[in-house]
Amino acid sequence: MIAINNLQEMEVFFNFKHLCAAMLDMDLERALHIFNQQASLAFPQTEQPRQESMQVFLTSMNRSLYNYILYKRDISLHSCCCQNSPLVHSCSGRDDLMHIGEHILKTYLHELAQTQDVNIHIARAKQFIEENLSEPLSLEQVAGQVFVCKAYLSELFSSCTGVKFSEYVTMQRVEHAKKLLTQSRESIQTISQDCGFSSPTYFSSVFTRVTGKSPRKYRQEVCQNIA
């Protein structure tokens, strides 16, 4: 547990590293315990807390959570940070401080949990696609493998990868084809089958559209550069 008594007086208002770490561990109980400790040190029961100081404390915690999560996980929870700001400025007493602080932690944890769920679904879908590129891959089939409905998976691919499901599958097939063209001596026809294209002609058409070169030309140029 954090040795909070060793924190310098001003550190209490700006150093929320241990609390943020607890949040990334999805440990609300530990995060609340750290928050209670730090708030008690910043605002002793023997003193009447100043409204401005409490707002500085909560603002610092709110922004620390946003920045820490962004840095550590590359997840921007800006909407959560913005939504908490009006609550922070409404803090006028010790009870408000504790209630708002707990609310801030719970909102971030809720958003983190949702983000993790999304990442898990996308990661599983990507893995299944990668392992089955030689097979026909439909949105409905992949959605069934990751236990979500196809409409939801379609939305996830668009929001998380920036491309539609079908486009993502095509790009993965082409990337796999690139490796086979340069790392094996398999024929164009065999490679088209290994990458899940319905025919060599269709494979050549898609590959040329994506890379600007035919499969045969791509293989020749890469092999010449290696040589």
Side-chain angles (χ1 to χ4, degrees):
M1 188 56 63
I2 178 175
I4 198 165
N5 291 328
N6 293 330
L7 289 175
Q8 297 178 1
E9 183 176 352
M10 291 307 297
E11 281 279 285
V12 177
F13 284 85
F14 302 103
N15 186 347
F16 291 90
K17 178 180 178 180
H18 295 282
L19 182 147
C20 291
M23 290 292 286
L24 280 191
D25 290 339
M26 307 299 286
D27 191 340
L28 179 61
E29 182 178 355
R30 179 158 59 98
L32 285 171
H33 182 67
I34 294 171
F35 168 72
N36 288 331
Q37 281 188 308
Q38 201 156 337
S40 296
L41 187 59
F43 307 103
Q45 291 290 339
T46 55
E47 301 176 8
Q48 180 64 30
R50 294 176 55 208
Q51 181 176 348
E52 181 181 293
S53 297
M54 290 186 294
Q55 292 177 359
V56 168
F57 181 85
L58 291 172
T59 297
S60 180
M61 185 179 80
N62 187 34
R63 291 178 178 173
S64 293
L65 285 164
Y66 170 79
N67 290 324
Y68 193 88
I69 293 168
L70 179 63
Y71 177 76
K72 288 289 188 178
R73 295 283 176 83
D74 195 24
I75 299 172
S76 176
L77 300 181
H78 65 278
S79 60
C80 188
C81 184
C82 291
Q83 289 170 8
N84 286 328
S85 292
L87 283 176
V88 168
H89 289 95
S90 70
C91 180
S92 60
R94 193 182 300 276
D95 289 343
D96 287 342
L97 172 73
M98 305 311 293
H99 175 74
I100 293 171
E102 181 176 346
H103 176 81
I104 289 174
L105 295 179
K106 287 182 177 180
T107 56
Y108 274 104
L109 193 69
H110 175 72
E111 293 297 321
L112 272 174
Q114 287 192 325
T115 303
Q116 285 192 352
D117 288 343
V118 168
N119 288 342
I120 288 172
H121 293 320
I122 286 294
R124 288 174 177 170
K126 287 181 175 180
Q127 182 179 356
F128 181 80
I129 291 169
E130 182 180 348
E131 293 174 352
N132 294 274
L133 285 173
S134 62
E135 304 296 328
L137 288 168
S138 68
L139 177 62
E140 186 173 5
Q141 176 193 15
V142 178
Q145 291 294 322
V146 298
F147 307 107
V148 296
C149 71
K150 64 179 184 179
Y152 180 56
L153 184 62
S154 178
E155 291 179 5
L156 288 184
F157 263 94
S158 296
S159 61
C160 295
T161 70
V163 297
K164 295 179 180 179
F165 170 81
S166 59
E167 294 172 344
Y168 179 84
V169 173
T170 297
M171 294 301 297
Q172 295 308 303
R173 294 194 198 279
V174 170
E175 288 301 314
H176 187 48
K178 286 180 180 179
K179 293 179 182 178
L180 294 179
L181 285 167
T182 57
Q183 298 175 11
S184 76
R185 295 184 178 181
E186 291 183 350
S187 67
I188 301 298
Q189 180 174 354
T190 300
I191 290 175
S192 70
Q193 293 174 347
D194 290 344
C195 295
F197 291 95
S198 57
S199 70
T201 303
Y202 180 60
F203 166 54
S204 180
S205 174
V206 172
F207 191 92
T208 302
R209 174 172 57 81
V210 173
T211 67
K213 301 180 179 69
S214 69
R216 195 176 304 279
K217 183 68 173 178
Y218 180 86
R219 170 179 266 175
Q220 290 174 348
E221 290 187 0
V222 172
C223 289
Q224 285 176 357
N225 291 334
I226 294 176

